[in-house]
Amino acid sequence: MSMWRNILGPRQKLDGGLFLPDHKSITARRPIEEMEIDGPLHVPLQIRRDLPATARVEPDDCVLGGELLAHADGSDSVSVSAPTSGKIVALERVWTAADGFLPGAVLEPDGRDEWVQPRQRWESESFVWQLADCGVMCTTPRGPGHALIRAAAAASVTDLIVNAMETEPYLTADLRSLVEEPGRLIDATCEIAGALGARRVLFVLPFRHRRVVARMEAEARGRFVEVVPLANRYPQCDPIVLVKTLLDREVVPGGSVLDVGAVVVPLAMVRATGDAVLGGRPVTQALMTVAGDAVDHAGTYRVPVGTPMRRIAERAGLIGPVARAISGGPLMGVPLGRDDAVVTADTTALLLFSDGGPRPNPVPCIRCGWCVEDCPVGLDPSELMHLEAEHECDPIDLARLRVCVDCGLCSYVCPAQLPLAASIKRARSRFEKTRRHATAAFE
Amino acid sequence: MTDWSARGAPHCRGGDTHRNMLGAWIAASAMVAFCGVVMFGPHALTTLIVAILTAVAADMAVAFALRRPVIGGASHACLIGLLLGLMLPATVPWYVPMFGSLVAIVLAKGLFGGLGHYTWQPAVVGRVVVQFLFTGHLSLTSALAMSPVLAPDHILAGDIDIDHAQPITMATYRGWFEVDGPARADAWLMERPVQALRRFAEGKIPPDGDQVYEPLLRDALPPWRDTLLGMVPGGIGESCTIALIVAGLFLIYRGYLRWQLPVTMLAAAALAAAILPVESGEQAGGYRWLPVLAVEQGRAVGLAYVMYHLTAGQLMLGAFLVAGDMISTPMRARGQIIFAAGIGVATVFMRLYGTLAGECYWSILIMNWLVSTIDRRTKRPVLGMAA
Ligand code: SF4
Ligand code: SF4
């Protein structure tokens, strides 16, 4: 990094956004640990409700680690492999934070943790097939990794952006893997870039971790990967915002970054791709941060898929009673209503707090304008909020609702404590539904 | 299975609430009010207390009558009462602040829909209305030029009474600190600095030979230091410029006041004062443009004239405490720059060519009225909707 960049900061800046208190100081310093879990694993056999897979095991079957548990049905589904060796006890529904109940298998580990041979890399097998076979998942947008790569190839994207901007507070999984396995991440990035035929490869990471940036720059030298540090403003991690900042391309409302010739791959998917394509290992673990003020030993852990969150909380140790739990970051994460939710391949964090969280006590908007200035896409949330109570909305307003990236920053800053982001989300889903009905009736 | 509570994202808040904000504004205003009470004595305290108590009582009555919950407790009404008191001189009888608060809360706040909905800043509305109603105490057209200020050894306790105050000859007055011997009366009567500036702009201060500005600075105005520290007559919160700046910096530091607003307002006022012409005494109808460039006997009198415009009263109070009220200002920093520039220019313009007293408050009301237009013109471009 040159001296001038050190002083002046990154060149590209996000219009809006906010530096949040990041609460990472504890977990960012602790190395990644394997979390040993005893007791049964409840492995979901699908990664999303709408992507079916057929179970390949029966109760009382014995499986080795890495053996196929469910096979993909259809071209978008992915296969699921066993996280360790053991016996299948039952096939039953499991609860996941993002999708509710999914079909799953209960695996009683035998403690020996025996694995099948790593899969050989066949030249004849396509990159996309390998990703599907190994169960690689993408976190944003949430879905199968191979489908993202396939869509990107079909859209003939020119820019590949690897997103390591973990701007939400508490989350350190990406940061820790940048520190611990930088070379492998660059290798995996090159694999993806090769499969896509991308012309430009950008590796985006937080500017404030200068030593990590320097290390990644050294790793990337001579490998056609541009390392781009960006300021840690939340929500710089959002793909649409990232493409605007980096490439100055604007996605039309409701569109995706593929429309403007770029694909944004989250670092978690790069990690999984490295394991799958370079190591021949299927995705059976999630790298996740366990943190929050109720947790005793906060840190970044490798946790087998299918571990109930309650187990993780017990292993990490609790200081006091847990009043609320969140899967994912504190701004965009999913609240966990029940403690038998299980870890899935795309889980990034488990946050446990001993307080009940913000109690909304809204008053009328006091026109401070903070939501307007901080919105990363230039919306006026105080105005859009009123659409929730309307009966219909005109196309311009619907387009505005669709531009919103659901970052939650407007609710975060609002001194009147209005539920801005939630209202916008509700209004959008309602009006999109009525519009679909209208078009259906018209046709 | 135990239940963990579930509420929608986001799961954390920034922590600034409207209560913290109102608290900070009240603290900042209270600091200015304290300086005002020191300078103007117990009468100032009564004025402030009457204004605050009436405002709080009226707010509760309005909430009760309209069956609305009182939002933010009594703090918003308290702030409005406090600001109204700061804009009034200490010499007014008790019913003036009382009536002003009633107007502010019932008309300007209550009828417009309460917190978050009003268009005109209620305290300013109250101030302007009492100016119409009680012309005897608050001149509408600045005929009541003389007002009192406490003498040095009578601060905090002196009786500020306009009838018993001792008139001062400005030409021999060397400043509040420089007077020898005990004063005969508790208070001195002198011309308000704004008033002197107004007379000057109308060409009513005769030039001394070829010196035009020197008579104003020497014979009509107290030393600039006095206007900075607040030993000049005027509203309770108008005169102590230092306290106002500190209060404003505190609000800016807490993030509740955008620095762009006071800075633009003062810069625009300074620019307007620097450029807009003043009538020169010797030939009637002759205007001198660019007064800032005037140099007399090697002294930059023009610059001094502009500085007096900034500190003479009202403008500082307006910039740091009154105009920044979030509810009646534009949403974005950009809009606030336009808004504040408008106030600054309009204030100086009205001061130089208008006859209405309380020019800064009128300017604030005018610009409040333009807020929705400004907001419409300064929308942010939405990503992907460039049209
Ligand atoms: S949630 Fe939507 S409206 Fe609110 S700040 Fe984020 S993008 Fe803007
Ligand atoms: S942040 Fe809240 S109070 Fe401020 S303008 Fe937006 S909606 Fe209004």
Side-chain angles (χ1 to χ4, degrees):
Chain A
M1 243 190 276
S2 76
M3 188 185 73
W4 282 115
R5 204 175 60 183
N6 258 326
I7 297 169
L8 297 176
R11 192 160 43 92
Q12 289 126 321
K13 290 216 169 71
L14 159 66
D15 193 8
L18 204 63
F19 291 97
L20 301 181
D22 73 355
H23 300 286
K24 297 190 193 193
S25 52
I26 299 173
T27 47
R29 279 162 221 274
R30 294 194 175 152
I32 299 175
E33 286 174 48
E34 301 277 340
M35 189 175 267
E36 302 290 335
I37 302 287
D38 44 356
L41 300 175
H42 301 252
V43 187
L45 295 181
Q46 296 179 4
I47 59 160
R48 223 165 65 186
R49 198 182 280 259
D50 54 338
L51 299 174
T54 320
R56 278 300 175 86
V57 286
E58 298 282 326
D60 294 335
D61 281 1
C62 282
V63 292
L64 293 177
E67 211 175 305
L68 213 57
L69 289 183
H71 187 265
D73 281 350
S75 64
D76 272 356
S77 302
V78 299
S79 308
V80 175
S81 309
T84 181
S85 61
K87 194 166 123 192
I88 303 293
V89 182
L91 291 180
E92 61 175 37
R93 299 183 311 165
V94 300
W95 174 264
T96 61
D99 278 299
F101 281 114
L102 289 180
V106 182
L107 173 69
E108 182 75 52
D110 56 12
R112 290 197 293 274
D113 199 22
E114 289 163 332
W115 278 72
V116 294
Q117 287 295 313
R119 291 171 205 196
Q120 292 299 319
R121 187 171 178 186
W122 307 103
E123 284 306 322
S124 58
E125 281 166 0
S126 71
F127 182 76
V128 167
W129 188 88
Q130 290 181 45
L131 295 193
D133 190 44
C134 290
V136 172
M137 225 182 141
C138 174
T139 44
T140 37
R142 194 165 165 275
H146 70 281
L148 177 73
I149 298 294
R150 205 172 46 206
S156 52
V157 299
T158 53
D159 302 74
L160 167 68
I161 300 174
V162 175
N163 182 2
M165 289 299 303
E166 213 169 26
T167 48
E168 276 205 70
Y170 293 102
L171 308 192
T172 50
D174 287 359
L175 179 62
R176 279 320 301 181
S177 64
L178 283 176
V179 171
E180 296 188 17
E181 40 182 23
R184 195 172 176 85
L185 293 175
I186 295 285
D187 291 346
T189 306
C190 292
E191 288 288 331
I192 300 177
L196 283 176
R199 246 177 266 156
R200 199 164 161 218
V201 185
L202 301 165
F203 197 106
V204 193
L205 69 180
F207 178 78
R208 56 182 301 202
H209 303 297
R210 312 277 163 97
R211 294 209 325 254
V212 175
V213 174
R215 178 75 202 275
M216 288 314 282
E217 276 177 345
E219 290 285 346
R221 198 156 293 143
R223 305 199 56 183
F224 304 103
V225 177
E226 267 175 67
V227 172
V228 189
L230 285 184
N232 232 49
R233 274 172 193 248
Y234 180 82
Q236 185 68 82
C237 51
D238 184 85
I240 290 174
V241 177
L242 201 53
V243 166
K244 167 72 182 159
T245 316
L246 278 180
L247 308 173
D248 200 21
R249 296 185 200 158
E250 302 196 355
V251 178
V252 295
S256 90
V257 291
L258 297 180
D259 307 342
V260 293
V263 58
V264 179
V265 177
L267 196 72
M269 181 175 152
V270 173
R271 222 157 38 218
T273 309
D275 284 349
V277 177
L278 304 172
R281 262 177 67 108
V283 177
T284 58
Q285 284 177 325
L287 185 62
M288 58 188 282
T289 310
V290 182
D293 61 358
V295 176
D296 185 13
H297 194 83
T300 314
Y301 296 96
R302 261 186 240 285
V303 183
V305 169
T307 312
M309 295 289 192
R310 182 188 35 207
R311 295 285 171 113
I312 299 177
E314 283 163 10
R315 288 309 289 246
L318 295 179
I319 298 174
V322 175
R324 92 201 138 105
I326 299 151
S327 161
L331 278 119
M332 287 200 266
V334 188
L336 284 177
R338 22 193 311 168
D339 64 353
D340 59 347
V342 300
V343 172
T344 56
D346 64 330
T347 304
T348 54
L350 171 65
L351 304 182
L352 300 164
F353 295 103
S354 57
D355 60 343
R359 264 177 211 291
N361 176 23
V363 301
C365 165
I366 54 172
R367 295 178 44 85
C368 64
W370 293 354
C371 55
V372 185
E373 293 284 8
D374 291 343
C375 175
V377 293
L379 291 170
D380 181 347
S382 65
E383 207 175 77
L384 290 182
M385 185 185 68
H386 298 300
L387 291 175
E388 199 198 353
E390 306 276 314
H391 290 295
E392 48 202 64
C393 84
D394 56 33
I396 297 279
D397 277 333
L398 183 61
R400 291 214 179 97
L401 290 174
R402 287 174 147 181
V403 173
C404 167
V405 296
D406 284 331
C407 65
L409 201 55
C410 42
S411 296
Y412 177 88
V413 296
C414 181
Q417 297 173 298
L418 291 164
L420 299 165
S423 305
I424 291 172
K425 211 169 177 172
R426 278 196 294 267
R428 179 177 50 219
S429 63
R430 209 182 81 217
F431 288 124
E432 281 191 338
K433 226 176 274 161
T434 49
R435 213 172 102 107
R436 256 202 303 281
H437 285 164
T439 27
F442 188 70
E443 283 159 357
Chain B
M1 191 192 93
T2 46
D3 262 347
W4 283 336
S5 92
R7 235 188 252 123
H11 309 280
C12 55
R13 296 262 185 185
D16 272 325
T17 65
H18 62 286
R19 282 172 188 274
N20 306 3
M21 278 184 180
L22 287 173
W25 280 88
I26 291 176
S29 314
M31 198 178 70
V32 175
F34 174 77
C35 295
V37 170
V38 171
M39 299 303 170
F40 295 107
H43 272 278
L45 193 62
T46 352
T47 308
L48 289 170
I49 287 176
V50 169
I52 293 171
L53 288 184
T54 320
V56 172
D59 199 40
M60 286 178 176
V62 168
F64 181 74
L66 299 181
R67 304 209 162 67
R68 269 203 308 241
V70 190
I71 294 161
S75 49
H76 187 248
C78 179
L79 175 64
I80 290 187
L82 193 50
L83 287 180
L84 177 77
L86 291 182
M87 287 187 272
L88 293 170
T91 45
V92 292
W94 58 271
Y95 49 84
V96 174
M98 184 164 154
F99 202 83
S101 280
L102 274 179
V103 169
I105 295 292
V106 176
L107 285 182
K109 183 182 170 192
L111 289 191
F112 277 86
L115 184 72
H117 299 286
Y118 52 76
T119 316
W120 287 281
Q121 150 70 291
V124 182
V125 175
R127 166 68 165 81
V128 163
V129 168
V130 293
Q131 188 179 330
F132 268 114
L133 293 177
F134 305 102
T135 14
H137 304 288
L138 286 157
S139 69
L140 191 58
T141 55
S142 53
L144 247 164
M146 305 295 259
S147 24
V149 60
L150 287 182
D153 39 4
H154 291 275
I155 55 165
L156 198 58
D159 179 21
I160 190 149
D161 185 352
I162 203 157
D163 299 327
H164 299 113
Q166 169 193 359
I168 288 280
T169 331
M170 259 311 175
T172 55
Y173 181 61
R174 307 226 45 81
W176 196 76
F177 293 103
E178 315 290 325
V179 181
D180 307 325
R184 269 186 291 116
D186 278 7
W188 292 336
L189 204 56
M190 58 171 109
E191 193 182 27
R192 279 184 290 129
V194 180
Q195 202 47 45
L197 289 169
R198 278 172 173 252
R199 274 202 300 139
F200 178 69
E202 288 162 10
K204 297 230 181 82
I205 296 184
D208 179 5
D210 57 351
Q211 298 176 6
V212 179
Y213 294 87
E214 201 58 37
L216 165 78
L217 302 182
R218 192 184 59 214
D219 303 339
L221 287 170
W224 191 66
R225 189 190 55 204
D226 284 9
T227 65
L228 205 59
L229 295 177
M231 288 79 178
V232 287
I236 297 170
E238 282 169 2
S239 48
C240 190
T241 307
I242 289 285
L244 283 164
I245 291 175
V246 173
L249 288 180
F250 167 69
L251 289 175
I252 292 170
Y253 164 72
R254 293 290 300 267
Y256 301 150
L257 175 67
R258 293 212 174 94
W259 62 266
Q260 286 97 333
L261 191 136
V263 167
T264 323
M265 190 160 152
L266 296 178
L271 203 66
I275 292 173
L276 290 177
V278 289
E279 217 166 313
S280 64
E282 72 262 52
Q283 344 113 291
Y287 283 101
R288 285 166 185 268
W289 286 83
L290 281 172
V292 69
L293 296 182
V295 176
E296 279 164 13
Q297 291 179 338
R299 293 173 60 204
V301 283
L303 212 55
Y305 161 81
V306 172
M307 294 312 282
Y308 269 114
H309 262 292
L310 293 187
T311 57
Q314 296 179 2
L315 201 62
M316 287 283 171
L317 177 64
F320 287 112
L321 285 182
V322 181
D325 177 19
M326 289 174 171
I327 298 165
S328 49
T329 51
M331 293 261 224
R332 295 195 57 203
R334 232 171 254 210
Q336 292 196 351
I337 289 177
I338 300 172
F339 173 81
I343 298 178
V345 172
T347 304
V348 172
F349 192 87
M350 289 169 83
R351 191 178 279 173
L352 294 181
Y353 314 117
T355 49
L356 224 45
E359 57 274 1
C360 185
Y361 310 133
W362 291 98
S363 314
I364 290 176
L365 291 187
I366 293 171
M367 292 311 285
N368 278 347
W369 174 63
L370 291 177
V371 159
S372 61
T373 317
I374 296 175
D375 263 346
R376 237 176 295 126
R377 292 295 172 101
T378 54
K379 281 213 173 303
R380 279 182 66 187
V382 178
L383 196 76
M385 294 176 68

